[in-house]
Amino acid sequence: MARPDKAAAVAELAESFRSSNAAVLTEYRGLTVAQLKELRRSLGENAQYAVVKNTLTKIAANEAGINSLDDHFTGPTAVAFITGDPVESAKGLRDFAKENPNLIIKGGVLDGKALSADEIKKLADLESREVLLAKLAGAMKGKQSQAAALFQALPSKFVRTAEALRAKKAEQGGAE
């Protein structure tokens, strides 16, 4: 029978998996406490980085409906539970891993879909949600401006054509 403290830890981890948008598993072997503190800061305010026990975390992930991470629970493991923008936290992990080769990104999950370490690095290469939304808004505004100019051009072209016809008729009428 499971001990109450382990059952509570599993329940807490399962809730962390359920409430987060993404979770990234890392191996932290060789990192100092100061480096781990720096890593936690680099992840941003919408991520929680926790050193976990593999068996308890595997059970918690399975309880949360995440079975795709089972192969990654080997060696010293820590999980970054991301509740905000996953791109920001993925960038923090990627940049920290570049500076500290002891941090190894194993894999993760984003909105229930399993991600490999390479896919997490590709996620980090994306621009933030705010930048992408701003680009989309700019593109939409540009298309609206083009449409407005087109709609405004049709009546003004009609008026110019009508004026040219009136002037031509007046010229022909005056020449007779």
Side-chain angles (χ1 to χ4, degrees), residues 109-151:
V109 63
L110 174 65
D111 293 329
K113 181 188 177 291
L115 297 176
S116 68
D118 290 334
E119 289 172 322
I120 292 170
K121 290 175 185 170
K122 287 179 186 175
L123 180 67
D125 291 337
L126 290 176
E127 293 174 338
S128 70
R129 183 176 189 272
E130 290 78 20
V131 171
L132 292 174
L133 287 174
K135 285 185 176 184
L136 178 64
M140 291 174 71
K141 182 180 178 191
K143 292 297 180 189
Q144 288 175 343
S145 296
Q146 288 176 344
L150 176 67
F151 293 140

mmCIF file of all heavy atoms in Angstrom, residues 109-151:
data_model
loop_
_atom_site.group_PDB
_atom_site.id
_atom_site.type_symbol
_atom_site.label_atom_id
_atom_site.label_comp_id
_atom_site.label_asym_id
_atom_site.label_seq_id
_atom_site.Cartn_x
_atom_site.Cartn_y
_atom_site.Cartn_z
ATOM 1 N N VAL A 109 5.614 17.652 -23.281
ATOM 2 C CA VAL A 109 4.247 17.547 -23.768
ATOM 3 C C VAL A 109 3.667 18.956 -23.857
ATOM 4 O O VAL A 109 3.928 19.794 -22.994
ATOM 5 C CB VAL A 109 3.399 16.617 -22.859
ATOM 6 C CG1 VAL A 109 3.285 17.168 -21.457
ATOM 7 C CG2 VAL A 109 2.042 16.355 -23.436
ATOM 8 N N LEU A 110 2.932 19.226 -24.937
ATOM 9 C CA LEU A 110 2.299 20.524 -25.147
ATOM 10 C C LEU A 110 0.847 20.280 -25.508
ATOM 11 O O LEU A 110 0.557 19.664 -26.536
ATOM 12 C CB LEU A 110 3.000 21.301 -26.269
ATOM 13 C CG LEU A 110 2.365 22.617 -26.699
ATOM 14 C CD1 LEU A 110 2.411 23.626 -25.563
ATOM 15 C CD2 LEU A 110 3.075 23.175 -27.917
ATOM 16 N N ASP A 111 -0.065 20.724 -24.655
ATOM 17 C CA ASP A 111 -1.503 20.529 -24.857
ATOM 18 C C ASP A 111 -1.842 19.071 -25.169
ATOM 19 O O ASP A 111 -2.615 18.767 -26.081
ATOM 20 C CB ASP A 111 -2.018 21.439 -25.977
ATOM 21 C CG ASP A 111 -1.942 22.905 -25.607
ATOM 22 O OD1 ASP A 111 -2.071 23.215 -24.401
ATOM 23 O OD2 ASP A 111 -1.750 23.732 -26.520
ATOM 24 N N GLY A 112 -1.207 18.152 -24.441
ATOM 25 C CA GLY A 112 -1.492 16.733 -24.591
ATOM 26 C C GLY A 112 -0.712 16.031 -25.693
ATOM 27 O O GLY A 112 -0.784 14.815 -25.828
ATOM 28 N N LYS A 113 0.034 16.764 -26.503
ATOM 29 C CA LYS A 113 0.807 16.171 -27.592
ATOM 30 C C LYS A 113 2.262 16.038 -27.168
ATOM 31 O O LYS A 113 2.855 16.979 -26.658
ATOM 32 C CB LYS A 113 0.715 17.046 -28.840
ATOM 33 C CG LYS A 113 1.487 16.488 -30.030
ATOM 34 C CD LYS A 113 1.528 17.493 -31.162
ATOM 35 C CE LYS A 113 2.343 17.012 -32.320
ATOM 36 N NZ LYS A 113 3.774 16.936 -32.052
ATOM 37 N N ALA A 114 2.820 14.858 -27.382
ATOM 38 C CA ALA A 114 4.214 14.602 -27.016
ATOM 39 C C ALA A 114 5.154 15.397 -27.914
ATOM 40 O O ALA A 114 4.913 15.544 -29.111
ATOM 41 C CB ALA A 114 4.521 13.118 -27.138
ATOM 42 N N LEU A 115 6.220 15.921 -27.310
ATOM 43 C CA LEU A 115 7.233 16.672 -28.043
ATOM 44 C C LEU A 115 8.597 16.052 -27.784
ATOM 45 O O LEU A 115 8.913 15.708 -26.644
ATOM 46 C CB LEU A 115 7.269 18.131 -27.594
ATOM 47 C CG LEU A 115 6.041 18.983 -27.815
ATOM 48 C CD1 LEU A 115 6.242 20.361 -27.206
ATOM 49 C CD2 LEU A 115 5.732 19.114 -29.289
ATOM 50 N N SER A 116 9.404 15.953 -28.834
ATOM 51 C CA SER A 116 10.778 15.501 -28.666
ATOM 52 C C SER A 116 11.633 16.702 -28.266
ATOM 53 O O SER A 116 11.175 17.842 -28.293
ATOM 54 C CB SER A 116 11.295 14.903 -29.980
ATOM 55 O OG SER A 116 11.425 15.920 -30.961
ATOM 56 N N ALA A 117 12.875 16.441 -27.922
ATOM 57 C CA ALA A 117 13.782 17.530 -27.558
ATOM 58 C C ALA A 117 13.968 18.492 -28.738
ATOM 59 O O ALA A 117 14.014 19.707 -28.551
ATOM 60 C CB ALA A 117 15.125 16.974 -27.112
ATOM 61 N N ASP A 118 14.045 17.957 -29.960
ATOM 62 C CA ASP A 118 14.196 18.811 -31.138
ATOM 63 C C ASP A 118 12.961 19.678 -31.359
ATOM 64 O O ASP A 118 13.079 20.845 -31.752
ATOM 65 C CB ASP A 118 14.463 17.965 -32.388
ATOM 66 C CG ASP A 118 15.840 17.320 -32.363
ATOM 67 O OD1 ASP A 118 16.743 17.873 -31.696
ATOM 68 O OD2 ASP A 118 16.013 16.276 -33.004
ATOM 69 N N GLU A 119 11.786 19.124 -31.108
ATOM 70 C CA GLU A 119 10.556 19.902 -31.278
ATOM 71 C C GLU A 119 10.466 21.025 -30.243
ATOM 72 O O GLU A 119 9.964 22.103 -30.538
ATOM 73 C CB GLU A 119 9.332 18.994 -31.188
ATOM 74 C CG GLU A 119 9.188 18.070 -32.391
ATOM 75 C CD GLU A 119 8.083 17.044 -32.222
ATOM 76 O OE1 GLU A 119 7.902 16.525 -31.099
ATOM 77 O OE2 GLU A 119 7.411 16.755 -33.228
ATOM 78 N N ILE A 120 10.976 20.783 -29.058
ATOM 79 C CA ILE A 120 10.990 21.832 -28.034
ATOM 80 C C ILE A 120 11.942 22.944 -28.455
ATOM 81 O O ILE A 120 11.650 24.126 -28.272
ATOM 82 C CB ILE A 120 11.365 21.244 -26.662
ATOM 83 C CG1 ILE A 120 10.233 20.330 -26.180
ATOM 84 C CG2 ILE A 120 11.632 22.341 -25.643
ATOM 85 C CD1 ILE A 120 10.555 19.500 -24.982
ATOM 86 N N LYS A 121 13.065 22.574 -29.062
ATOM 87 C CA LYS A 121 14.002 23.593 -29.555
ATOM 88 C C LYS A 121 13.385 24.389 -30.700
ATOM 89 O O LYS A 121 13.600 25.599 -30.820
ATOM 90 C CB LYS A 121 15.317 22.942 -29.976
ATOM 91 C CG LYS A 121 16.099 22.437 -28.769
ATOM 92 C CD LYS A 121 17.341 21.685 -29.151
ATOM 93 C CE LYS A 121 17.996 21.120 -27.893
ATOM 94 N NZ LYS A 121 19.058 20.197 -28.182
ATOM 95 N N LYS A 122 12.591 23.730 -31.554
ATOM 96 C CA LYS A 122 11.889 24.441 -32.630
ATOM 97 C C LYS A 122 10.835 25.381 -32.046
ATOM 98 O O LYS A 122 10.627 26.477 -32.557
ATOM 99 C CB LYS A 122 11.236 23.453 -33.593
ATOM 100 C CG LYS A 122 12.207 22.740 -34.492
ATOM 101 C CD LYS A 122 11.497 21.773 -35.405
ATOM 102 C CE LYS A 122 12.502 20.959 -36.211
ATOM 103 N NZ LYS A 122 11.841 19.935 -37.031
ATOM 104 N N LEU A 123 10.174 24.933 -30.994
ATOM 105 C CA LEU A 123 9.198 25.775 -30.302
ATOM 106 C C LEU A 123 9.876 27.029 -29.763
ATOM 107 O O LEU A 123 9.326 28.128 -29.819
ATOM 108 C CB LEU A 123 8.536 24.992 -29.174
ATOM 109 C CG LEU A 123 7.492 25.702 -28.331
ATOM 110 C CD1 LEU A 123 6.259 26.022 -29.173
ATOM 111 C CD2 LEU A 123 7.092 24.847 -27.147
ATOM 112 N N ALA A 124 11.091 26.871 -29.274
ATOM 113 C CA ALA A 124 11.842 28.003 -28.740
ATOM 114 C C ALA A 124 12.224 28.992 -29.837
ATOM 115 O O ALA A 124 12.405 30.177 -29.567
ATOM 116 C CB ALA A 124 13.097 27.510 -28.027
ATOM 117 N N ASP A 125 12.325 28.524 -31.076
ATOM 118 C CA ASP A 125 12.678 29.404 -32.183
ATOM 119 C C ASP A 125 11.508 30.260 -32.651
ATOM 120 O O ASP A 125 11.701 31.229 -33.378
ATOM 121 C CB ASP A 125 13.204 28.584 -33.373
ATOM 122 C CG ASP A 125 14.555 27.954 -33.068
ATOM 123 O OD1 ASP A 125 15.272 28.458 -32.176
ATOM 124 O OD2 ASP A 125 14.899 26.939 -33.713
ATOM 125 N N LEU A 126 10.286 29.902 -32.233
ATOM 126 C CA LEU A 126 9.119 30.704 -32.600
ATOM 127 C C LEU A 126 9.162 32.050 -31.888
ATOM 128 O O LEU A 126 9.783 32.196 -30.850
ATOM 129 C CB LEU A 126 7.825 29.988 -32.198
ATOM 130 C CG LEU A 126 7.439 28.737 -32.964
ATOM 131 C CD1 LEU A 126 6.187 28.125 -32.338
ATOM 132 C CD2 LEU A 126 7.188 29.050 -34.420
ATOM 133 N N GLU A 127 8.439 32.994 -32.456
ATOM 134 C CA GLU A 127 8.300 34.275 -31.785
ATOM 135 C C GLU A 127 7.205 34.146 -30.741
ATOM 136 O O GLU A 127 6.364 33.255 -30.814
ATOM 137 C CB GLU A 127 7.976 35.360 -32.812
ATOM 138 C CG GLU A 127 9.143 35.606 -33.749
ATOM 139 C CD GLU A 127 8.795 36.568 -34.860
ATOM 140 O OE1 GLU A 127 7.610 36.732 -35.168
ATOM 141 O OE2 GLU A 127 9.732 37.136 -35.421
ATOM 142 N N SER A 128 7.195 35.037 -29.794
ATOM 143 C CA SER A 128 6.215 34.959 -28.713
ATOM 144 C C SER A 128 4.806 35.187 -29.250
ATOM 145 O O SER A 128 4.606 35.728 -30.341
ATOM 146 C CB SER A 128 6.532 35.984 -27.623
ATOM 147 O OG SER A 128 6.280 37.274 -28.103
ATOM 148 N N ARG A 129 3.839 34.799 -28.461
ATOM 149 C CA ARG A 129 2.428 34.912 -28.846
ATOM 150 C C ARG A 129 2.066 36.361 -29.156
ATOM 151 O O ARG A 129 1.365 36.645 -30.129
ATOM 152 C CB ARG A 129 1.564 34.376 -27.708
ATOM 153 C CG ARG A 129 0.092 34.358 -27.989
ATOM 154 C CD ARG A 129 -0.656 33.704 -26.815
ATOM 155 N NE ARG A 129 -2.030 33.474 -27.123
ATOM 156 C CZ ARG A 129 -3.003 34.356 -26.938
ATOM 157 N NH1 ARG A 129 -2.720 35.544 -26.432
ATOM 158 N NH2 ARG A 129 -4.247 34.076 -27.253
ATOM 159 N N GLU A 130 2.561 37.292 -28.355
ATOM 160 C CA GLU A 130 2.247 38.697 -28.550
ATOM 161 C C GLU A 130 2.780 39.208 -29.883
ATOM 162 O O GLU A 130 2.109 39.960 -30.594
ATOM 163 C CB GLU A 130 2.809 39.545 -27.398
ATOM 164 C CG GLU A 130 2.108 39.351 -26.073
ATOM 165 C CD GLU A 130 2.512 38.072 -25.349
ATOM 166 O OE1 GLU A 130 3.583 37.526 -25.656
ATOM 167 O OE2 GLU A 130 1.729 37.609 -24.509
ATOM 168 N N VAL A 131 3.998 38.791 -30.241
ATOM 169 C CA VAL A 131 4.597 39.231 -31.505
ATOM 170 C C VAL A 131 3.807 38.657 -32.683
ATOM 171 O O VAL A 131 3.517 39.359 -33.656
ATOM 172 C CB VAL A 131 6.082 38.815 -31.582
ATOM 173 C CG1 VAL A 131 6.651 39.056 -32.963
ATOM 174 C CG2 VAL A 131 6.891 39.569 -30.540
ATOM 175 N N LEU A 132 3.434 37.376 -32.592
ATOM 176 C CA LEU A 132 2.669 36.763 -33.674
ATOM 177 C C LEU A 132 1.296 37.423 -33.826
ATOM 178 O O LEU A 132 0.832 37.652 -34.942
ATOM 179 C CB LEU A 132 2.514 35.261 -33.420
ATOM 180 C CG LEU A 132 3.802 34.443 -33.524
ATOM 181 C CD1 LEU A 132 3.553 32.998 -33.115
ATOM 182 C CD2 LEU A 132 4.370 34.506 -34.929
ATOM 183 N N LEU A 133 0.657 37.744 -32.711
ATOM 184 C CA LEU A 133 -0.639 38.433 -32.781
ATOM 185 C C LEU A 133 -0.496 39.830 -33.378
ATOM 186 O O LEU A 133 -1.349 40.274 -34.151
ATOM 187 C CB LEU A 133 -1.273 38.510 -31.392
ATOM 188 C CG LEU A 133 -1.834 37.194 -30.845
ATOM 189 C CD1 LEU A 133 -2.298 37.378 -29.406
ATOM 190 C CD2 LEU A 133 -2.966 36.685 -31.716
ATOM 191 N N ALA A 134 0.587 40.524 -33.035
ATOM 192 C CA ALA A 134 0.823 41.856 -33.589
ATOM 193 C C ALA A 134 1.043 41.780 -35.102
ATOM 194 O O ALA A 134 0.535 42.619 -35.860
ATOM 195 C CB ALA A 134 2.020 42.506 -32.909
ATOM 196 N N LYS A 135 1.786 40.770 -35.547
ATOM 197 C CA LYS A 135 2.003 40.600 -36.991
ATOM 198 C C LYS A 135 0.686 40.295 -37.702
ATOM 199 O O LYS A 135 0.429 40.806 -38.794
ATOM 200 C CB LYS A 135 3.016 39.483 -37.254
ATOM 201 C CG LYS A 135 4.438 39.895 -36.967
ATOM 202 C CD LYS A 135 5.395 38.804 -37.358
ATOM 203 C CE LYS A 135 6.824 39.251 -37.174
ATOM 204 N NZ LYS A 135 7.781 38.244 -37.630
ATOM 205 N N LEU A 136 -0.136 39.450 -37.089
ATOM 206 C CA LEU A 136 -1.436 39.125 -37.671
ATOM 207 C C LEU A 136 -2.313 40.372 -37.756
ATOM 208 O O LEU A 136 -2.948 40.623 -38.784
ATOM 209 C CB LEU A 136 -2.131 38.041 -36.837
ATOM 210 C CG LEU A 136 -3.524 37.633 -37.290
ATOM 211 C CD1 LEU A 136 -3.466 36.984 -38.665
ATOM 212 C CD2 LEU A 136 -4.157 36.698 -36.276
ATOM 213 N N ALA A 137 -2.339 41.159 -36.698
ATOM 214 C CA ALA A 137 -3.130 42.389 -36.698
ATOM 215 C C ALA A 137 -2.628 43.357 -37.773
ATOM 216 O O ALA A 137 -3.427 43.996 -38.465
ATOM 217 C CB ALA A 137 -3.075 43.043 -35.323
ATOM 218 N N GLY A 138 -1.322 43.471 -37.927
ATOM 219 C CA GLY A 138 -0.758 44.338 -38.955
ATOM 220 C C GLY A 138 -1.128 43.876 -40.355
ATOM 221 O O GLY A 138 -1.462 44.688 -41.225
ATOM 222 N N ALA A 139 -1.091 42.562 -40.571
ATOM 223 C CA ALA A 139 -1.455 42.036 -41.884
ATOM 224 C C ALA A 139 -2.936 42.280 -42.169
ATOM 225 O O ALA A 139 -3.317 42.650 -43.286
ATOM 226 C CB ALA A 139 -1.143 40.542 -41.950
ATOM 227 N N MET A 140 -3.770 42.086 -41.145
ATOM 228 C CA MET A 140 -5.204 42.313 -41.328
ATOM 229 C C MET A 140 -5.489 43.789 -41.595
ATOM 230 O O MET A 140 -6.337 44.128 -42.424
ATOM 231 C CB MET A 140 -5.974 41.818 -40.108
ATOM 232 C CG MET A 140 -5.957 40.312 -39.983
ATOM 233 S SD MET A 140 -6.698 39.720 -38.475
ATOM 234 C CE MET A 140 -8.412 40.055 -38.781
ATOM 235 N N LYS A 141 -4.794 44.682 -40.907
ATOM 236 C CA LYS A 141 -4.989 46.114 -41.113
ATOM 237 C C LYS A 141 -4.580 46.503 -42.533
ATOM 238 O O LYS A 141 -5.247 47.299 -43.179
ATOM 239 C CB LYS A 141 -4.185 46.918 -40.093
ATOM 240 C CG LYS A 141 -4.389 48.403 -40.213
ATOM 241 C CD LYS A 141 -3.584 49.176 -39.206
ATOM 242 C CE LYS A 141 -3.791 50.660 -39.425
ATOM 243 N NZ LYS A 141 -2.858 51.460 -38.671
ATOM 244 N N GLY A 142 -3.489 45.905 -43.016
ATOM 245 C CA GLY A 142 -3.037 46.188 -44.377
ATOM 246 C C GLY A 142 -4.069 45.761 -45.407
ATOM 247 O O GLY A 142 -4.342 46.490 -46.370
ATOM 248 N N LYS A 143 -4.671 44.598 -45.216
ATOM 249 C CA LYS A 143 -5.698 44.118 -46.145
ATOM 250 C C LYS A 143 -6.943 44.997 -46.086
ATOM 251 O O LYS A 143 -7.564 45.265 -47.105
ATOM 252 C CB LYS A 143 -6.070 42.658 -45.828
ATOM 253 C CG LYS A 143 -4.967 41.679 -46.117
ATOM 254 C CD LYS A 143 -4.625 41.658 -47.588
ATOM 255 C CE LYS A 143 -3.513 40.684 -47.859
ATOM 256 N NZ LYS A 143 -3.000 40.777 -49.213
ATOM 257 N N GLN A 144 -7.287 45.465 -44.884
ATOM 258 C CA GLN A 144 -8.441 46.359 -44.757
ATOM 259 C C GLN A 144 -8.174 47.684 -45.459
ATOM 260 O O GLN A 144 -9.064 48.247 -46.102
ATOM 261 C CB GLN A 144 -8.777 46.590 -43.286
ATOM 262 C CG GLN A 144 -9.388 45.386 -42.620
ATOM 263 C CD GLN A 144 -9.609 45.604 -41.133
ATOM 264 O OE1 GLN A 144 -9.039 46.506 -40.544
ATOM 265 N NE2 GLN A 144 -10.424 44.754 -40.533
ATOM 266 N N SER A 145 -6.950 48.183 -45.350
ATOM 267 C CA SER A 145 -6.596 49.439 -46.022
ATOM 268 C C SER A 145 -6.671 49.268 -47.536
ATOM 269 O O SER A 145 -7.147 50.167 -48.245
ATOM 270 C CB SER A 145 -5.190 49.875 -45.627
ATOM 271 O OG SER A 145 -5.135 50.158 -44.254
ATOM 272 N N GLN A 146 -6.211 48.126 -48.041
ATOM 273 C CA GLN A 146 -6.289 47.862 -49.475
ATOM 274 C C GLN A 146 -7.740 47.805 -49.937
ATOM 275 O O GLN A 146 -8.095 48.350 -50.981
ATOM 276 C CB GLN A 146 -5.588 46.548 -49.826
ATOM 277 C CG GLN A 146 -4.088 46.596 -49.744
ATOM 278 C CD GLN A 146 -3.458 45.244 -50.008
ATOM 279 O OE1 GLN A 146 -4.112 44.210 -49.963
ATOM 280 N NE2 GLN A 146 -2.157 45.247 -50.266
ATOM 281 N N ALA A 147 -8.588 47.139 -49.152
ATOM 282 C CA ALA A 147 -10.003 47.039 -49.512
ATOM 283 C C ALA A 147 -10.656 48.421 -49.496
ATOM 284 O O ALA A 147 -11.431 48.756 -50.395
ATOM 285 C CB ALA A 147 -10.726 46.089 -48.559
ATOM 286 N N ALA A 148 -10.354 49.224 -48.503
ATOM 287 C CA ALA A 148 -10.926 50.576 -48.416
ATOM 288 C C ALA A 148 -10.488 51.413 -49.612
ATOM 289 O O ALA A 148 -11.297 52.148 -50.198
ATOM 290 C CB ALA A 148 -10.506 51.241 -47.109
ATOM 291 N N ALA A 149 -9.230 51.310 -49.988
ATOM 292 C CA ALA A 149 -8.734 52.069 -51.142
ATOM 293 C C ALA A 149 -9.426 51.604 -52.424
ATOM 294 O O ALA A 149 -9.776 52.427 -53.283
ATOM 295 C CB ALA A 149 -7.225 51.906 -51.264
ATOM 296 N N LEU A 150 -9.655 50.311 -52.548
ATOM 297 C CA LEU A 150 -10.336 49.776 -53.732
ATOM 298 C C LEU A 150 -11.769 50.277 -53.797
ATOM 299 O O LEU A 150 -12.239 50.725 -54.838
ATOM 300 C CB LEU A 150 -10.304 48.241 -53.702
ATOM 301 C CG LEU A 150 -11.053 47.534 -54.833
ATOM 302 C CD1 LEU A 150 -10.351 47.802 -56.159
ATOM 303 C CD2 LEU A 150 -11.137 46.050 -54.571
ATOM 304 N N PHE A 151 -12.474 50.216 -52.680
ATOM 305 C CA PHE A 151 -13.861 50.673 -52.658
ATOM 306 C C PHE A 151 -13.966 52.174 -52.898
ATOM 307 O O PHE A 151 -14.936 52.657 -53.487
ATOM 308 C CB PHE A 151 -14.534 50.297 -51.338
ATOM 309 C CG PHE A 151 -14.716 48.813 -51.153
ATOM 310 C CD1 PHE A 151 -14.495 48.232 -49.923
ATOM 311 C CD2 PHE A 151 -15.097 47.998 -52.206
ATOM 312 C CE1 PHE A 151 -14.660 46.872 -49.741
ATOM 313 C CE2 PHE A 151 -15.267 46.637 -52.035
ATOM 314 C CZ PHE A 151 -15.049 46.067 -50.801
#
